[in-house]
Amino acid sequence: IYGELMADKSAEEARDAFARMIDDAEDAPKTASDPGVPAMVDTDHDAAFRGAFRFFLEGKGIQHRRKTDAVYSHNNLAMVDQKMGAIRQYIRGRLVADGVTDEDDIVARWPDYFDDAIHAQNDRRLHVLSDMRPTDLYDEEGRPEEPQRKSVL
């Protein structure tokens, strides 16, 4: 799971956040064929995923599949929605454990736990991955860690 906090929901901010997640840079541009870069991105029809974001994906050779495409199921974002729920649940749990109860403090401190929540999701052992963690499958460059783990992917 990749996650990036954004200042707003503009297409430019979504583009820049996605570029940071795939470590894209002017001096080292990435494309869909590079390790760690998805070949396809599923989104809803939010304005953040139009314009600059869409053109960025096209330029990288990354397919963009939107939630309400007629030929695709209405449940195509179910896994994304489930993971977002797990991230929210993790953050709420940490806030409660730390005794944060004031609504303003909860909103203000939410970003403090975001990176930990992403890490926690990637560090979970998953049955579908033969009880391995997602982080166990790839090296730091995004390539399969070991030949036998390629079969899990």
Side-chain angles (χ1 to χ4, degrees), residues 38-58:
M40 180 181 296
V41 172
D42 290 326
T43 70
D44 58 18
H45 274 278
D46 192 286
F49 305 120
R50 298 181 189 156
F53 181 82
R54 184 175 59 88
F55 293 129
F56 179 81
L57 294 183
E58 287 176 6

Side-chain angles (χ1 to χ4, degrees), residues 3-22 24 43 46-57 114:
E4 181 84 21
L5 293 172
M6 297 181 1
D8 59 50
K9 290 180 69 174
S10 69
E12 293 79 15
E13 183 70 16
R15 175 201 60 208
D16 295 347
F18 188 80
R20 287 188 298 271
M21 285 189 282
I22 64 170
D24 185 58
T43 70
D46 192 286
F49 305 120
R50 298 181 189 156
F53 181 82
R54 184 175 59 88
F55 293 129
F56 179 81
L57 294 183
F114 185 77

